[in-house]
Amino acid sequence: MAAAAIEKLPQLKSATDGLKEMSDNERSGFINLVSRYLSGEAQHIEWSKIQTPTDEIVVPYDKMANVSEDASETKYLLDKLVVLKLNGGLGTTMGCTGPKSVIEVRDGLTFLDLIVIQIENLNNKYGCKVPLVLMNSFNTHDDTQKIVEKYTNSNVDIHTFNQSKYPRVVADEFVPWPSKGKTDKDGWYPPGHGDVFPSLMNSGKLDAFISQGKEYVFVANSDNLGAVVDLKILKHLIQNKNEYCMEVTPKTLADVKGGTLISYEGKVQLLEIAQVPDEHVNEFKSIEKFKIFNTNNLWVNLKAIKKLVEADALKMEIIPNPKEVDGVKVLQLETAAGAAIRFFENAIGVNVPRSRFLPVKATSDLLLVQSDLYTLVDGFVTRNKARTNPTNPAIELGPEFKKVASFLGRFKSIPSIVELDSLKVSGDVWFGSGVVLKGKVSVKANAGTKLEIPDNAVLENKDINGPEDL
């Protein structure tokens, strides 16, 4: 990078030293990240050296040994586990103000309710104490503290800590925005989930768990309903002394942008679309060559995290995220937890069933998990066996359905979709109760007209453009 850019570092550093809202750890982490960015140390991938990982590196899930029926083996495994959910995101894309994890998913229960129920069931059944840890951001911290109070009587120890809070950098001057008077929340950002490792250590939680005899942390997004504790994976890691494991699952055409695992110079590593040279992007997106993608369900050895953080060895690829906020062009630098895989010893991937990846990113995903396609048992969302097609229906809902409140308002009840292939809805459409959708269905209300699907309607392979098509 240009020498001019490097010269900006002392100015940035002295401005950052003046920001009282940052801890010393945050300051050094931030300056470290910025100087790495300015030195242009981006890791260059030589396309010809990329190899498809073998079954030793990405282990097929069904080749892993099962856990015995003996409850004492299960307890032994669970006593070594910590569950950590990434809880820094807000539900803004779905029109909600608080943490995304408190959106109601099913039967009046939120993501967080389901997670607590699942862990409580394990603790009750096996007499173990698996703790739940929530990594919040400054955006979700206050709300989450209030929400977890309702679980005080549950049989789950819930811990929370905050990920780092870094200042957004004003792009053209390269100074921290808060030092120019932007002191509200918009002046700051959480630097991506790669920050989970140093922040877990800085919070003091990491040492506490190690001293309790915990060995592995299972890290997952709080909005992935499929990310439940899996004893088979845990057993494999303990037996084989794998310091890190990433769950991957077969790509479908919906996942072509997801990061994938590759073998590179004898090590397993994550390849993200941002690292791919332009002339190879189509190849990267093909599901023939790169058949798997990262679910962001990660299993990591606690002592290995401690060792690497202390040595400042986790130099994950930097993801520059330029934004415009209040008319000001700002830069935020982020890292992703999956990219840490190449720093751990004996790291592997495991190719898991698609059921372990059920994220709810939009109301179209909410429609899937609230429908008869899934049932809820003991906090676990399970797919209906009556669905013969292994893939879920493709659902596209128009902007009228984007916010949770309007989405719920437009369905008297969620339609039956067990036999649905695809659904496309646009315009001012309202669904009655007991509607059944099958095959390929498209419903389009013309501008200025309200289209109501009557109660108990059965729509099979239909294109509806007005009331006359019903």
Side-chain angles (χ1 to χ4, degrees), residues 285-339:
K285 287 180 171 179
S286 98
I287 50 183
E288 270 67 58
K289 176 162 181 174
F290 297 102
K291 294 185 167 67
I292 51 174
F293 76 99
N294 171 20
T295 63
N296 220 37
N297 298 347
L298 310 170
W299 301 75
V300 196
N301 180 281
L302 296 172
K303 285 181 176 165
I305 295 173
K306 183 175 165 74
K307 185 181 79 187
L308 289 166
V309 172
E310 283 178 341
D312 193 22
L314 290 174
K315 300 201 184 303
M316 280 95 90
E317 285 73 21
I318 296 172
I319 307 157
N321 188 356
K323 288 186 180 263
E324 192 168 308
V325 184
D326 297 343
V328 179
K329 287 192 165 59
V330 293
L331 177 65
Q332 46 192 61
L333 302 175
E334 302 170 13
T335 60

Side-chain angles (χ1 to χ4, degrees), residues 116-132:
V116 172
I117 292 167
Q118 290 163 13
I119 296 178
E120 186 167 40
N121 283 331
L122 289 173
N123 287 344
N124 290 342
K125 187 171 177 185
Y126 297 104
C128 51
K129 279 197 105 54
V130 176
L132 170 63

Side-chain angles (χ1 to χ4, degrees), residues 426-444:
S426 57
D428 187 11
V429 179
W430 299 75
F431 288 81
S433 60
V435 173
V436 179
L437 304 174
K438 301 180 178 188
K440 291 189 167 134
V441 178
S442 158
V443 185
K444 185 181 174 187

Side-chain angles (χ1 to χ4, degrees), residues 94 360-369 393-397 401-402 407 417:
M94 295 204 266
V360 178
K361 300 287 181 203
T363 51
S364 52
D365 301 320
L366 214 46
L367 175 59
L368 290 173
V369 297
I395 294 181
E396 265 183 75
L397 301 175
F401 292 81
K402 186 176 176 183
F407 162 82
I417 60 170

Side-chain angles (χ1 to χ4, degrees), residues 187-425:
W188 303 85
Y189 75 99
H193 46 62
D195 185 56
V196 62
F197 305 119
S199 288
L200 182 61
M201 170 108 169
N202 295 339
S203 70
K205 305 275 181 204
L206 183 67
D207 286 333
F209 291 135
I210 291 172
S211 69
Q212 292 165 18
K214 306 292 183 197
E215 289 181 22
Y216 280 88
V217 59
F218 173 44
V219 179
N221 296 348
S222 62
D223 65 5
N224 179 4
L225 294 172
V228 299
V229 170
D230 190 294
L231 294 164
K232 204 159 118 164
I233 297 176
L234 182 59
K235 176 181 179 174
H236 185 95
L237 302 180
I238 292 170
Q239 280 184 341
N240 295 282
K241 297 190 169 49
N242 304 108
E243 288 188 351
Y244 187 111
C245 168
M246 173 187 289
E247 293 185 37
V248 292
T249 197
K251 252 189 204 184
T252 66
L253 291 171
D255 319 300
V256 291
K257 290 182 178 166
T260 190
L261 283 183
I262 56 170
S263 288
Y264 191 79
E265 298 184 330
K267 291 201 85 159
V268 60
Q269 73 179 61
L270 182 67
L271 177 66
E272 296 275 15
I273 193 161
Q275 297 165 282
V276 177
D278 291 347
E279 65 270 22
H280 294 291
V281 166
N282 284 342
E283 195 179 341
F284 176 81
K285 287 180 171 179
S286 98
I287 50 183
E288 270 67 58
K289 176 162 181 174
F290 297 102
K291 294 185 167 67
I292 51 174
F293 76 99
N294 171 20
T295 63
N296 220 37
N297 298 347
L298 310 170
W299 301 75
V300 196
N301 180 281
L302 296 172
K303 285 181 176 165
I305 295 173
K306 183 175 165 74
K307 185 181 79 187
L308 289 166
V309 172
E310 283 178 341
D312 193 22
L314 290 174
K315 300 201 184 303
M316 280 95 90
E317 285 73 21
I318 296 172
I319 307 157
N321 188 356
K323 288 186 180 263
E324 192 168 308
V325 184
D326 297 343
V328 179
K329 287 192 165 59
V330 293
L331 177 65
Q332 46 192 61
L333 302 175
E334 302 170 13
T335 60
I341 190 166
R342 61 194 177 96
F343 301 105
F344 288 85
E345 293 299 312
N346 205 1
I348 58 167
V350 55
N351 194 347
V352 297
R354 183 77 189 199
S355 57
R356 293 191 56 74
F357 185 65
L358 186 59
V360 178
K361 300 287 181 203
T363 51
S364 52
D365 301 320
L366 214 46
L367 175 59
L368 290 173
V369 297
Q370 291 186 348
S371 74
D372 57 352
L373 199 55
Y374 289 93
T375 48
L376 190 60
V377 184
D378 296 342
F380 295 97
V381 178
T382 317
R383 204 158 177 269
N384 186 340
K385 297 227 176 0
R387 170 91 177 167
T388 47
N389 185 337
T391 61
N392 279 346
I395 294 181
E396 265 183 75
L397 301 175
E400 296 78 4
F401 292 81
K402 186 176 176 183
K403 295 183 171 177
V404 174
S406 41
F407 162 82
L408 294 171
R410 286 173 177 275
F411 291 99
K412 270 201 214 165
S413 71
I414 299 292
S416 162
I417 60 170
V418 175
E419 295 177 53
L420 179 70
D421 295 324
S422 66
L423 171 68
K424 197 170 182 173
V425 181

